[in-house]
Amino acid sequence: AWCLLSVGEWIFSGLADGRIRGYSKSGREINLEGHTKKVTTLLLHEQVLVSGSADNTLRFWQYDPNAQTFVCTHSLTQGIPGGVTCLAVLAQGLWVGGTAGVALVELATLTVVLQVQPKRPVSGMLKFTDHMIVAYSEGSVKIFTALGVETHSQNPLPAGHILCLAGLDSGPRVLCGHIKGQVSSITLPLFQLKQSWQTFARCKVQSICCTGHDGIFLVGAENGDLQLWQRVETQASKAP
């Protein structure tokens, strides 16, 4: 699976062949077909399941009680910035990160209304208050308003290429996972690099998952290894 999403009684899994596999608590399994390449990201917004794929397409799915499955009600390809890598909602816009930058989709009309510069591969997006934090694969990070106006730009981080992004309530902090096994911690709202540290030796940090309390987060490596970290104020030996 390239992505997972838990929604109510359903768990959805985005697969490499373009299918979305759904599993319900009742034991039912469904296949949502339409994408032609791997499904890289899934998001739920107001009872609509949104899927993004490496086929440069967004698809919007809604549950049909008669068919007892999810049906694709709309697809969007025009203006999508390459293969889709991540999705996020801010105000009335759907932010689409891709291999060629960020596009802003107006949710009311499901049309692309803005191409957010620069046109670089995007590795992650994170909503913070009324702004969107965008991490680019080459290591730089930018902050935008809901209208796509840039308010801050961070040069490429010393730890290099970014593969994933997560928000930690403790601090609060932005956590960036890097290609050479490091994690960077950035303070909010000042957006200053606090520290970078090594988690895995010679292995990419592919994912970071924050538990939502006590400053605890999981770091996942490309080889399947997991590490459990906790941010604490008084112990220098812990993650900052």
Side-chain angles (χ1 to χ4, degrees), residues 7 11 34 69 98 100 164 209 213 236:
V7 177
I11 293 177
T69 189
C164 56
C209 179
H213 61 88

Side-chain angles (χ1 to χ4, degrees), residues 45-46 50 60 89-94 105-111:
H45 179 68
E46 295 184 353
V50 187
F60 300 82
V89 172
L90 177 60
Q92 302 305 310
L94 173 64
V105 177
E106 185 179 61
L107 286 167
T109 60
L110 294 183
T111 56

Side-chain angles (χ1 to χ4, degrees), residues 135-235:
Y136 295 90
S137 299
E138 37 71 270
S140 64
V141 184
K142 293 182 180 291
I143 302 178
F144 301 92
T145 68
L147 297 178
V149 178
E150 182 182 315
T151 61
H152 179 82
S153 180
Q154 178 91 31
N155 290 329
L157 298 173
H161 292 271
I162 298 173
L163 296 179
C164 56
L165 189 69
L168 187 67
D169 288 343
S170 175
R173 296 285 190 267
V174 175
L175 301 176
C176 301
H178 297 277
I179 197 169
K180 294 184 179 180
Q182 291 181 300
V183 171
S184 294
S185 174
I186 300 172
T187 63
L188 291 174
L190 298 178
F191 215 80
Q192 296 175 341
L193 176 63
K194 187 71 173 178
Q195 189 174 343
S196 297
W197 72 96
Q198 196 74 35
T199 56
F200 301 104
R202 299 183 298 277
C203 198
K204 300 175 182 177
V205 175
Q206 288 289 156
S207 59
I208 300 175
C209 179
C210 300
T211 63
H213 61 88
D214 296 332
I216 297 173
F217 57 97
L218 283 164
V219 180
E222 183 183 36
N223 64 0
D225 288 348
L226 291 175
Q227 291 183 0
L228 183 67
W229 289 80
Q230 183 175 20
R231 179 187 176 270
V232 292
E233 296 285 354
T234 58
Q235 298 181 32

Side-chain angles (χ1 to χ4, degrees), residues 1-2 27 29 32 61 72 90 148 156 227:
W2 283 86
E29 296 184 14
L32 309 183
W61 312 80
C72 183
L90 177 60
Q227 291 183 0

Side-chain angles (χ1 to χ4, degrees), residues 37-57:
K37 294 182 179 179
K38 63 184 177 184
V39 177
T40 53
T41 181
L42 295 165
L43 176 147
L44 184 75
H45 179 68
E46 295 184 353
Q47 307 304 313
V48 177
L49 176 66
V50 187
S51 58
S53 168
D55 65 4
N56 302 11
T57 303

Side-chain angles (χ1 to χ4, degrees), residues 10 28 30 47 61-71:
W10 290 94
R28 290 186 59 230
I30 58 174
Q47 307 304 313
W61 312 80
Q62 289 185 278
Y63 187 74
D64 183 342
N66 295 321
Q68 293 191 343
T69 189
F70 286 79
V71 177

